[in-house]
């Protein structure tokens, strides 16, 4: 391609050497005299941008020449070239400009001309300062002498991509002019959208200067498509024709979204007050405009604009500010160059030496000797101009790119926010955000409300079902097993099943029609591969997949799923046998530890109650044999709440109440456990769940086409040789009945909905063991970023809330109680772990009661034992004994004595002590009286 460019440049050189008029503004003084410095200007004078740029450049040159503090007394000599909106003539003018020994050129405004002329200035070392060529590809290293003094469309397209993400649209249609400016700008938009998981659904290009009929045909085709978000990236001089045609086609009404790049704001700014008929075409359009911060110098320039004699517009657009600053940027750089002692000079390029017989006159082109130094100075300049801060980053783009986001309505526009590469979308002017950290958070993005086409503030969803008559191509798995979920049908739609009914019910809730065609996926001889089905959807072979498609991680990377309409997860199914009757089945509810501790506590509590009641309750007294029988009877009769002995002591009643509560819990638990054991099925293998299955070496069955095969191999590292593919439900039954010893399988791993349907047809011969070891669901798969997936998710939630989803489930599927039974007999056996808290509470209560009881008895004994030893506190039967009872024997007698006898002795002791005290007092009184 470079060869073609150079060839075109050579042709243009030949043409300019044949004589092309050049318009010179100012004194035409030879640069060799060093009195003036020639600079060039390239733009289309009679254009929206040109009419603003021309007076701005002239004003800048006048300001520079009137400032004696710059350029060391030298003046700028401006040479203007009109590109006439023609790539051919514009390139000729640009080449002719180089013959005049210009040190730099301001322009061009056309990206196409900039691409060609950049090769020339590279060779001649003449910097090219473009205020209007926004093509992002011009920033490439291929064009070292091209310096953009405006913002690149790379940043503008980033702003549009952020807008699309902010309003949660996923696809846009790009309408653009098919030249370097349009193509490369839309290419940058596609890259920016891809970062946000959005895309360009269609690129609608038309040739520069295309007639109305071509634009009409283009928009007619676009209007038949799904997306309703249009990005218009065209030239300012012809862009309004797009909206004129769109208005006639009814595309400026509710539901449509129109986003225009900065070309439209340039038209509006240049016009000052636009024609009301033109404004009617633009109602609801969102448009971007270069943000140039307000400043005193900008206000002065605005006031001065009315005094400029040859201005052709009542106002100016941002490109005029960029052009004005470009002249000052060049002047400041030249001033630095001259202050370094450099003299401006040109020399012939040996590469352009004319060959013998050549008529191209290449010797008329001279290279700028100080071009590389001037370029270096230009890229390091830093000052504040009318458009803001003029400083370049390492990619030679102006720092702090920013745009205003406008919404057109009524007779003008209003600003709804800003975009900058620092804060992205914001309602705050960008200047205050440059000192803050970079903000990439979507939740912090904010814009004011937009009045969309059709005068609505409701954000359009950005798409409609296409009007081109094309129905959705929906793939339905052609199942061999579990046809209840989806299979062939002779009805109008050709398919039937649970999944089909759910999808049809969800589509009926959508506010728009969805034409659709169901296509069976598979040969009907075996279940299709669901992974292949999802892959075909992602590759646009089908628009969607409707069926029992499991939502797993690797599938979500390539397609979009709806909200799950069925919960699912992998489970293990094994054969079971009925438990045989046993004479000792009544012992199975409790473990042996539980039986031992329970029996010990019966005796312990009986003994505690006997101790607490023995001194007060005559039912707990008698001969040792009678008392022992009483303890045993009372202990075990509480098991049935049949004890006939009453408790009279406070602590005895407290212990008994706690113990009866424990007995109630134990009895209830025993009854429930025994009932479960006598009715439960017992496994015919030792497989208790996925963990024990994975650790064993037994064969495993999986359903044909299920993701369970890859999950067992990839995730659980189970050898593929252990896995058998089950094609039908009969295979399930046969392989499980055979078992590993008969060449079958020990267990089957499948999804819970399939297993529940399978178990309902096998009379509880098999059962689920363990828990679901994956958590997922079934959803409908759509191509990435399909808006239909979002709407159907909402519809599925509505089906769930109004009960229709459950009614569809009950219509097609049934659930047998076998699937919900316990797993093994041992699972119903109760251990000590479940009751140790109760035993602990009861034991602590007994301990506290005994402690209080013995302390009270001990203190009574200590108080009365001296008198008892003096008075012979002993049993009547031992009165005749020769030996006095020991202290220990007396304490046992004391404990065995009834409480009422102790209380009587307390009373007598109190009376006797009082009598003795009175007698002592009388005796003391008589002795002390005189005789």
């Amino acid at each position: 391609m470079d060869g073609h460019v150079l060839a075109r440049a050579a042709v243009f050189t030949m043409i300019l050497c044949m004589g092309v008029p050049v318009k010179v503004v100012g004194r035409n003084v030879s640069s060799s005299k060093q009195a003036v410095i020639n600079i060039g200007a390239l733009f289309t004078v009679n254009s929206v941008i040109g009419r603003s740029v021309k007076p701005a450049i002239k004003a800048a040159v006048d300001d520079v020449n009137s400032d004696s503090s710059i350029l060391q007394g030298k003046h700028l000599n401006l040479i203007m070239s009109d590109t006439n909106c023609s790539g051919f003539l514009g390139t000729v003018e640009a080449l002719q400009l180089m013959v005049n020994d210009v040190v730099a050129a301001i322009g061009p405004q056309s990206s196409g001309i900039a691409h060609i002329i950049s090769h020339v200035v590279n060779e001649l070392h003449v910097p090219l300062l473009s205020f209007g060529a926004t093509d992002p590809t011009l920033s490439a290293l291929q064009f070292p002498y091209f310096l953009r003094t405006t913002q690149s469309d790379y940043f503008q397209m980033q702003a549009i991509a952020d807008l699309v993400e902010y309003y949660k649209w996923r696809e846009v249609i790009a309408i653009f002019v098919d030249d370097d400016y349009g193509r490369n700008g839309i290419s940058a938009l596609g890259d920016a959208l891809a970062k946000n998981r959005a895309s360009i659904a269609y690129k609608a290009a038309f040739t520069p200067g295309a007639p109305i009929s071509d634009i009409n045909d283009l928009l007619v085709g676009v209007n038949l498509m799904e997306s309703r978000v249009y990005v218009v990236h065209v030239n300012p001089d012809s862009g309004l024709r797009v909206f004129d045609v769109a208005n006639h086609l009814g595309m400026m009404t509710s539901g449509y979204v129109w986003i225009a790049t900065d070309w439209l704001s340039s038209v509006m700014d240049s016009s000052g007050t636009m024609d009301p008929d033109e404004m009617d075409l633009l109602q609801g359009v969102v448009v971007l405009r270069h943000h140039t911060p307000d400043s005193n110098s900008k206000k002065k320039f605005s006031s001065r604009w009315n005094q400029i004699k040859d201005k052709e517009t009542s106002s100016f657009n941002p490109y005029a500010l960029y052009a004005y600053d470009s002249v000052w940027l060049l002047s400041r750089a030249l001033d630095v160059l001259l202050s370094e002692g450099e003299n401006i000079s040109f020399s012939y390029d040996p590469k352009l030496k004319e060959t013998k017989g050549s008529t191209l006159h290449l010797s008329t082109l001279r290279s700028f000797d100080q071009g590389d130094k001037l370029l270096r100075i230009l890229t390091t300049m830093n000052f504040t101009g009318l458009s803001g801060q003029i400083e370049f980053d390492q990619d030679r783009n102006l720092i702090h790119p920013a745009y205003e986001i406008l919404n057109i309505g009524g007779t003008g526009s209003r600003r709804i926010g800003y975009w900058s590469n620092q804060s992205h979308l914001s309602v705050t002017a960008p200047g205050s955000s440059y000192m803050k950290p970079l903000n990439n958070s979507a939740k912090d993005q904010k814009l004011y409300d937009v009045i969309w086409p059709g005068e609505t503030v409701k954000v359009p969803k950005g798409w409609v079902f296409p009007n081109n008559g094309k129905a959705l191509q929906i793939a339905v798995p052609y199942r061999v097993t579990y046809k209840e979920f989806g299979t062939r049908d002779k009805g109008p739609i050709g398919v039937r099943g649970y999944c089909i009914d759910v999808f049809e019910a969800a589509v009926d809730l959508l506010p728009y029609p969805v034409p659709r065609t169901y296509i069976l996926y598979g040969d009907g001889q075996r279940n299709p591969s669901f992974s292949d089905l999802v892959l075909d959807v992602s590759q646009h072979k089908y628009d969607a997949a409707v069926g029992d498609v499991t939502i797993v991680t690797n599938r979500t990377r390539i397609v979009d799923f709806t909200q799950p309409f069925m919960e699912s997860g992998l489970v293990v199914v094994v054969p079971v046998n009925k438990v045989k009757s046993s004479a000792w089945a009544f012992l199975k509810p409790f473990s042996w530890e539980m039986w031992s501790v329970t029996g010990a506590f019966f005796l312990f509590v009986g003994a505690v109650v006997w101790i607490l009641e023995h001194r007060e309750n005559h039912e707990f007294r008698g001969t040792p044999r009678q008392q022992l029988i009483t303890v045993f009877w009372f202990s075990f009769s509480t098991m049935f709440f049949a004890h006939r002995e009453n408790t009279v002591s406070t602590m005895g009643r407290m212990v008994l109440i706690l113990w009866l509560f424990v007995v109630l819990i134990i009895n209830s638990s025993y009854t429930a456990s025994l009932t479960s054991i006598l009715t439960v099925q017992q496994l015919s293998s030792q497989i208790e769940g996925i963990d024990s299955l994975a650790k064993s070496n037994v064969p495993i069955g999986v359903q044909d086409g299920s993701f369970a095969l890859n999950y067992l191999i990839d995730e659980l590292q189970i050898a593929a040789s252990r896995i058998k593919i089950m094609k039908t439900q009969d295979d399930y039954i046969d392989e499980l009945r055979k078992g590993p010893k008969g060449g079958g399988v020990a267990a089957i791993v499948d999804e819970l909905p399939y297993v529940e349907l399978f178990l309902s047809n096998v009379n509880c011969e098999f059962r689920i063991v363990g828990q679901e070891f994956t958590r997922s669901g079934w959803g409908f798969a759509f191509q990435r970023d399909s808006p239909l997936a979002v709407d159907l998710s909402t519809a599925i939630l509505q089906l769930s809330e109004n009960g229709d989803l459950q009614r569809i489930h009950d219509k097609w599927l049934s659930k047998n109680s076998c699937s919900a039974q316990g797993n093994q007999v041992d699972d119903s056996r109760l251990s000590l772990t479940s009751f140790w808290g109760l035993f602990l509470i009861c034991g602590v209560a007994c301990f506290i009661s005994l402690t209080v009881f013995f302390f009270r008895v001990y203190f009574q004994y200590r108080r009365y034992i001296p008198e008892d030893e003096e008075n012979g506190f002993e049993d009547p039967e031992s009165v005749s004994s020769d030996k006095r009872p020991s202290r220990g024997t007396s304490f046992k007698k004391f404990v065995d004595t009834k409480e009422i006898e102790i209380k009587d002795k307390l009373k007598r002791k109190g009376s006797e002590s009082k009598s003795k005290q009175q007698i002592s007092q009388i005796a003391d009184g008589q002795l002390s009286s005189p005789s």
Side-chain angles (χ1 to χ4, degrees):
M1 180 175 180
D2 291 342
H4 290 294
V5 173
L6 292 176
R8 291 167 63 185
V11 173
F12 296 148
T13 304
M14 177 183 67
I15 294 173
L16 68 90
C17 292
M18 294 171 61
V20 178
V22 179
K23 184 177 181 181
V24 180
V25 179
R27 295 178 300 161
N28 189 7
V29 182
S30 174
S31 59
S32 61
K33 297 181 180 180
Q34 302 289 309
V36 296
I37 301 174
N38 291 335
I39 65 171
L42 290 167
F43 56 90
T44 300
V45 174
N46 188 24
S47 66
V48 170
I49 294 178
R51 286 188 288 270
S52 287
V53 163
K54 178 181 176 181
I57 293 178
K58 283 186 176 183
V61 172
D62 290 341
D63 291 346
V64 170
N65 288 336
S66 62
D67 189 344
S68 59
S69 65
I70 197 170
L71 295 182
Q72 300 182 7
K74 296 179 176 58
H75 285 67
L76 296 181
N77 181 44
L78 178 63
I79 304 174
M80 284 191 180
S81 294
D82 187 359
T83 58
N84 292 300
C85 286
S86 169
F88 176 77
L89 295 178
T91 306
V92 171
E93 292 290 335
L95 290 168
Q96 178 64 48
L97 192 64
M98 298 298 110
V99 179
N100 293 279
D101 290 342
V102 295
V103 296
I106 310 298
Q109 74 186 62
S110 168
S111 297
I113 298 175
H115 272 281
I116 298 175
I117 198 63
S118 290
H119 293 282
V120 178
V121 297
N122 288 350
E123 186 66 30
L124 301 179
H125 299 173
V126 176
L128 196 62
L129 282 65
S130 177
F131 55 82
T134 57
D135 178 2
T137 62
L138 286 169
S139 299
L141 298 177
Q142 182 183 7
F143 310 114
Y145 280 85
F146 176 85
L147 189 62
R148 195 195 321 268
T149 56
T150 185
Q151 299 294 349
S152 168
D153 277 340
Y154 170 83
F155 300 107
Q156 182 168 212
M157 298 309 170
Q158 293 285 341
I160 293 177
D162 284 347
L163 271 174
V164 172
E165 182 184 26
Y166 179 80
Y167 291 112
K168 296 181 173 55
W169 300 316
R170 287 302 174 198
E171 288 185 341
V172 304
I173 291 178
I175 302 173
F176 61 99
V177 60
D178 193 11
D179 58 10
D180 291 328
Y181 159 75
R183 283 192 305 272
N184 295 329
I186 294 303
S187 177
L189 175 62
D191 294 340
L193 290 171
K195 295 179 181 178
N196 298 335
R197 281 194 59 186
S199 62
I200 299 176
Y202 181 73
K203 294 181 179 180
F206 59 89
T207 58
I212 290 289
S213 58
D214 289 354
I215 298 176
N216 183 82
D217 294 342
L218 185 71
L219 293 186
V220 167
V222 162
N223 197 32
L224 295 176
M225 298 179 183
E226 182 178 276
S227 178
R228 282 292 183 264
V229 182
Y230 305 117
V231 177
V232 183
H233 186 56
V234 296
N235 294 319
D237 299 281
S238 58
L240 289 178
R241 287 185 294 173
V242 174
F243 289 102
D244 187 17
V245 174
N247 187 63
H248 282 90
L249 294 176
M251 299 174 66
M252 300 300 296
T253 57
S254 179
Y256 289 85
V257 177
W258 291 88
I259 301 174
T261 54
D262 67 284
W263 67 267
L264 181 54
S265 60
S266 298
V267 174
M268 297 175 63
D269 291 338
S270 300
S271 302
T273 301
M274 289 189 64
D275 186 280
D277 293 336
E278 292 180 339
M279 291 302 298
D280 288 341
L281 303 176
L282 304 173
Q283 297 299 301
V285 175
V286 175
V287 58
L288 273 67
R289 177 169 64 190
H290 290 275
H291 173 65
T292 55
D294 293 331
S295 62
N296 292 331
S297 57
K298 180 180 174 182
K299 293 178 181 178
K300 291 179 181 178
F301 181 80
S302 179
S303 301
R304 179 184 173 189
W305 185 263
N306 296 326
Q307 302 172 2
I308 297 177
K309 296 180 179 179
D310 55 350
K311 66 179 181 63
E312 299 180 23
T313 60
S314 59
S315 185
F316 58 89
N317 54 48
Y319 289 103
L321 302 180
Y322 290 123
Y324 183 93
D325 288 343
S326 299
V327 175
W328 271 99
L329 171 65
L330 176 59
S331 300
R332 290 173 182 268
L334 287 171
D335 186 62
V336 174
L337 181 68
L338 295 174
S339 65
E340 293 179 353
E342 295 287 346
N343 292 319
I344 295 176
S345 61
F346 296 83
S347 60
Y348 292 103
D349 189 345
K351 298 178 182 178
L352 300 179
K353 184 178 180 181
E354 297 181 21
T355 57
K356 186 177 181 180
S358 174
T359 59
L360 295 179
H361 305 293
L362 295 179
S363 60
T364 58
L365 296 175
R366 298 196 298 171
S367 62
F368 180 28
D369 295 335
Q370 290 77 33
D372 56 342
K373 293 183 180 180
L374 179 60
L375 178 65
R376 175 181 53 81
I377 296 172
L378 285 168
T379 57
T380 58
M381 294 299 295
N382 184 2
F383 69 97
T384 300
L386 299 184
S387 61
Q389 187 175 2
I390 307 299
E391 183 181 358
F392 299 94
D393 59 19
Q394 60 183 2
D395 295 324
R396 294 189 301 175
N397 290 316
L398 285 176
I399 64 171
H400 305 325
Y403 292 87
E404 296 176 10
I405 303 173
L406 309 177
N407 179 211
I408 301 178
T411 59
S413 63
R414 63 185 182 92
R415 185 169 53 233
I416 61 172
Y418 301 89
W419 181 92
S420 70
N421 63 338
Q422 183 72 16
S423 61
H424 294 265
L425 299 178
S426 174
V427 295
T428 305
S432 60
S433 65
Y434 293 141
M435 302 304 294
K436 298 179 181 179
L438 185 65
N439 177 22
N440 288 322
S441 176
K443 66 179 181 180
D444 294 332
Q445 310 296 296
K446 185 178 180 181
L447 293 174
Y448 293 120
D449 291 337
V450 175
I451 300 177
W452 303 98
E455 297 184 353
T456 176
V457 294
K458 182 180 179 182
V459 179
K461 64 180 180 179
W463 74 282
V464 295
F465 211 82
N467 298 321
N468 54 13
K470 180 182 178 183
L472 279 180
Q473 303 295 304
I474 300 177
V476 177
Y478 193 2
R479 299 195 57 87
V480 176
T481 58
Y482 306 114
K483 295 183 178 181
E484 292 86 348
F485 295 106
T487 188
R488 181 192 294 274
D489 185 53
K490 297 180 180 179
I493 63 176
V495 290
R496 63 180 176 87
Y498 167 73
C499 300
I500 308 302
D501 281 4
V502 172
F503 182 76
E504 287 288 322
V507 169
D508 289 342
L509 293 177
L510 298 180
Y512 48 85
V514 180
R516 53 200 177 275
T517 300
Y518 293 103
I519 303 173
L520 289 170
Y521 187 85
D523 56 9
Q525 303 300 316
R526 58 182 297 181
N527 290 337
S529 170
F530 284 77
S531 296
D532 292 343
L533 171 60
V534 172
L535 181 62
D536 287 346
V537 172
S538 70
Q539 294 177 347
H540 299 267
K541 295 180 180 179
Y542 304 98
D543 295 306
V546 171
D548 43 334
V549 183
T550 306
I551 304 172
V552 293
T553 303
N554 60 340
R555 294 175 183 174
T556 59
R557 296 191 180 104
I558 58 177
V559 297
D560 284 346
F561 282 95
T562 62
Q563 171 80 15
F565 61 87
M566 168 77 84
E567 297 296 327
S568 180
L570 292 177
V571 293
V572 178
V573 180
V574 297
V576 293
N577 294 325
K578 291 286 186 179
V579 174
K580 296 181 180 180
S581 179
S582 171
W584 304 100
F586 68 91
L587 294 176
K588 292 182 178 179
F590 289 160
S591 62
W592 67 268
E593 296 92 347
M594 182 64 183
W595 281 117
S596 301
V597 173
T598 302
F601 256 84
F602 271 108
L603 295 176
F604 173 67
V605 172
V608 169
V609 173
W610 177 83
I611 292 173
L612 298 175
E613 295 289 324
H614 177 68
R615 300 183 73 202
E616 300 183 41
N617 194 339
H618 70 277
E619 294 184 0
F620 287 86
R621 298 185 65 83
T623 64
R625 180 173 176 271
Q626 291 175 333
Q627 295 182 49
L628 184 62
I629 293 174
T630 299
V631 170
F632 275 94
W633 165 255
F634 179 83
S635 297
F636 291 101
S637 63
T638 57
M639 179 186 302
F640 311 102
F641 306 99
H643 54 284
R644 63 190 180 190
E645 293 81 8
N646 295 319
T647 52
V648 296
S649 68
T650 301
M651 289 183 291
R653 288 175 177 176
M654 181 188 70
V655 170
L656 183 60
I657 289 174
L658 285 174
W659 176 242
L660 291 179
F661 176 74
V662 174
V663 171
L664 174 65
I665 300 300
I666 293 176
N667 280 345
S668 301
S669 302
Y670 177 85
T671 303
S673 180
L674 181 61
T675 302
S676 176
I677 289 174
L678 294 178
T679 58
V680 79
Q681 293 174 316
Q682 189 175 22
L683 300 178
S684 60
S685 69
Q686 297 301 315
I687 303 300
E688 301 177 357
I690 188 59
D691 293 333
S692 58
L693 180 62
K695 294 177 182 178
S696 65
N697 292 318
V698 295
I700 305 170
V702 297
Q703 183 185 170
D704 189 18
S706 172
F707 81 99
L709 175 63
N710 292 333
Y711 182 86
L712 296 178
I713 296 175
D714 299 336
E715 301 295 333
L716 301 183
Q717 306 300 318
I718 295 177
S721 58
R722 291 178 53 192
I723 301 176
K724 288 188 176 182
I725 304 299
M726 308 283 104
K727 296 183 178 180
T728 65
Q729 293 187 48
D730 292 337
D731 291 344
Y732 279 43
I733 298 173
D734 294 341
E735 295 293 328
L736 286 173
R737 285 176 177 173
K738 290 178 183 177
K741 296 181 179 179
V745 297
I748 287 178
V749 175
D750 207 346
E751 295 184 68
L752 184 59
Y754 301 130
V755 171
E756 290 179 341
L757 191 59
F758 169 69
L759 294 179
S760 66
N761 299 322
V762 294
N763 195 26
C764 299
E765 186 178 350
F766 313 102
R767 184 162 11 94
I768 299 171
V769 294
Q771 303 295 323
E772 292 181 68
F773 54 92
T774 64
R775 293 287 182 181
S776 58
W778 291 351
F780 304 129
F782 287 83
Q783 296 173 7
R784 291 298 295 269
D785 304 318
S786 171
L788 193 59
V790 178
D791 288 354
L792 278 176
S793 294
T794 304
I796 290 171
L797 290 176
Q798 294 179 13
L799 290 176
S800 177
E801 292 170 358
N802 62 26
D804 288 344
L805 195 61
Q806 184 61 44
R807 283 188 284 272
I808 297 173
H809 180 278
D810 296 339
K811 171 186 174 182
W812 288 98
L813 309 175
S814 61
K815 184 176 180 180
N816 190 277
S817 59
C818 296
S819 62
Q821 290 181 357
N823 293 334
Q824 298 187 61
V825 172
D826 288 341
D827 292 340
S828 299
R829 179 169 292 174
L830 301 175
S831 65
L832 183 61
T833 305
S834 304
F835 300 93
W836 71 268
L838 288 173
F839 287 130
L840 177 63
I841 294 173
C842 186
V844 170
C846 291
F847 176 77
I848 293 174
S849 299
L850 288 176
T851 301
V852 173
F853 172 79
F854 281 114
F855 266 102
R856 186 165 62 85
V857 172
Y858 177 73
F859 284 123
Q860 286 180 347
Y861 176 72
R862 287 293 301 271
R863 182 176 178 184
Y864 297 109
I865 192 60
E867 181 180 350
D868 292 338
E869 288 182 347
E870 294 174 1
N871 298 332
F873 180 74
E874 49 194 15
D875 206 12
E877 297 179 359
S878 61
V879 173
S880 61
S881 176
D882 294 338
K883 297 182 178 180
R884 291 186 63 83
S886 65
R887 186 179 181 92
T889 303
S890 299
F891 180 74
K892 288 193 295 182
K893 298 294 184 180
F894 178 81
V895 172
D896 193 53
T897 303
K898 291 183 178 181
E899 183 74 16
I900 190 171
E901 294 179 5
I902 298 297
K903 292 180 178 180
D904 289 342
K905 288 181 178 294
L906 286 172
K907 291 180 181 180
R908 289 200 302 271
K909 179 182 177 182
S911 298
E912 291 175 357
S913 297
K914 186 178 294 185
S915 298
K916 288 181 180 181
Q917 186 176 7
Q918 290 175 354
I919 294 172
S920 176
Q921 290 176 352
I922 293 172
D924 291 341
Q926 292 176 350
L927 290 175
S928 61
S929 62
S931 53

